[in-house]
Amino acid sequence: MGRYLNAVIDLLQRVAEANEEAVRAGAGILADVIARQGLVHVFGSGHSQLLALEIQARAGGLVPVQVIYDPTFGKAETVEGYAVSLLRDYELSRGEAMIVISNSGRNPAPIEIAIAARERGLSVIALTALEFSRSVSSRHSSGKRLFELADVVLDTMGGPGDALVRVEGLDVPVGPSSTVVGGALINELMVVTTEELVRRGFEPPVLRSQNLDGSEVHNQRVMAAYWGRIRRVI
C-alpha cells in the first residue's frame, strides 16, 4: 500500500521546485491578459482535456477561462487539420493567452493549437512532460513538439510512458502521473496568477462556490464583464 501515493508526493515536490520560475513567468502573462479583461484559452486533447476543464467555471477559480472543447476527447488528435477546425467556434484576440496541455507533446492536435495561437498573436503556455517529449519524435508535419512552440513551459516531469509504479510479475508500469500532477501544477499557475493580480491592485474575478450562501450575487458581479464571451463546457 502507498507506493503510488508516495511516488506522487515525491514527484509533486520535485515539480514544485523545478517549475517555480516557469510558474511565475506564466502567471505574469496571465495576469497581463486578465488585467486587460482578455481571455485565457486552454486546450487539452484526450485525458489532457480533463485538466482544461479543471480550471473553467470552478469554485475558487478565475472567471475568464475559455476551454477549446474537443468533442472527440482525443480520438482525432493525430489527424492534422482537425484541431484548427475547432478554433472556428472561438474568437482568439491578439494579446490573449493559450494554455496547451499534452503529456507527450507530440500529437498534431496540441501542436496545431499552439501554432495557430502564436500566429494570432497569443502567448502560449505549454503543460507537458519534458523528458517524455524530448524522447519521442513529433507526429506533426512541422517536426515540432509542443514545448518547442511555447513561450513558457510547465514541466510535469513524468517519464516516458507516464506510469510511475512497477508491479512484480508485470512488464507494463501502472499508475499514471500526468493528471494528478498536471492538475496540481495548473492550479498552482492560477493561484499565483491571482496573487499577482492582487499585488498589482486589480481585483481578480474569482468564483465563489455556489453552495455557499451569498455566492450568487458575488458570482454575477465578477462574471458581468464576460457575459456572452465565454462558452461554458461544464
Side-chain angles (χ1 to χ4, degrees):
M1 290 291 293
R3 291 183 64 206
Y4 176 75
L5 291 176
N6 288 331
V8 167
I9 290 168
D10 176 69
L11 182 54
L12 281 169
Q13 184 61 51
R14 291 188 284 118
V15 164
E17 295 170 359
N19 284 277
E20 183 175 355
E21 184 176 337
V23 167
R24 293 197 180 281
I29 290 171
L30 299 190
D32 287 343
V33 171
I34 295 170
R36 296 193 298 264
Q37 293 194 334
L39 299 183
V40 175
H41 306 270
V42 56
F43 174 81
S45 187
H47 281 88
S48 294
Q49 185 156 240
L50 298 174
L51 301 182
L53 295 170
E54 166 68 14
I55 60 170
Q56 186 184 55
R58 194 66 190 268
L62 291 160
V63 173
V65 174
Q66 174 68 75
V67 173
I68 308 300
Y69 179 61
D70 175 10
T72 75
F73 264 88
K75 291 183 175 65
E77 70 179 353
T78 61
V79 179
E80 287 204 30
Y82 170 72
V84 174
S85 71
L86 297 177
L87 295 178
R88 296 172 187 165
D89 292 335
Y90 302 90
E91 182 178 349
L92 307 182
S93 299
R94 180 172 295 276
E96 293 184 329
M98 177 73 74
I99 303 171
V100 186
I101 308 163
S102 172
N103 190 50
S104 71
R106 72 182 309 202
N107 289 313
I111 291 168
E112 288 184 350
I113 293 290
I115 290 172
R118 290 175 65 90
E119 289 175 346
R120 300 184 193 191
L122 281 73
S123 298
V124 175
I125 298 172
L127 181 65
T128 189
L130 273 177
E131 179 189 353
F132 187 6
S133 194
R134 285 174 172 145
S135 74
V136 295
S137 60
S138 174
R139 288 175 172 159
H140 188 259
S141 58
S142 68
K144 298 290 188 181
R145 291 157 295 185
L146 175 59
F147 73 87
E148 298 171 291
L149 297 163
D151 299 291
V152 173
V153 177
L154 302 179
D155 184 8
T156 59
M157 301 182 72
D162 194 14
L164 290 175
V165 178
R166 289 284 181 179
V167 176
E168 187 176 352
L170 183 67
D171 291 336
V172 182
V174 297
S177 65
S178 57
T179 302
V180 63
V181 174
L185 192 49
I186 200 167
N187 274 304
E188 174 74 358
L189 174 65
M190 305 310 283
V191 168
V192 177
T193 298
T194 304
E195 291 174 337
E196 176 62 17
L197 287 166
V198 171
R199 189 190 68 79
R200 298 182 187 187
F202 183 91
E203 182 189 2
V206 176
L207 290 166
R208 183 172 291 165
S209 171
Q210 63 182 358
N211 295 310
L212 294 175
D213 293 338
S215 61
E216 185 175 355
V217 172
H218 169 85
N219 289 343
Q220 286 181 348
R221 180 177 65 81
V222 297
M223 292 191 304
Y226 304 98
W227 288 123
R229 298 175 59 198
I230 298 173
R231 299 184 57 170
R232 289 276 299 273
V233 178
I234 55 175

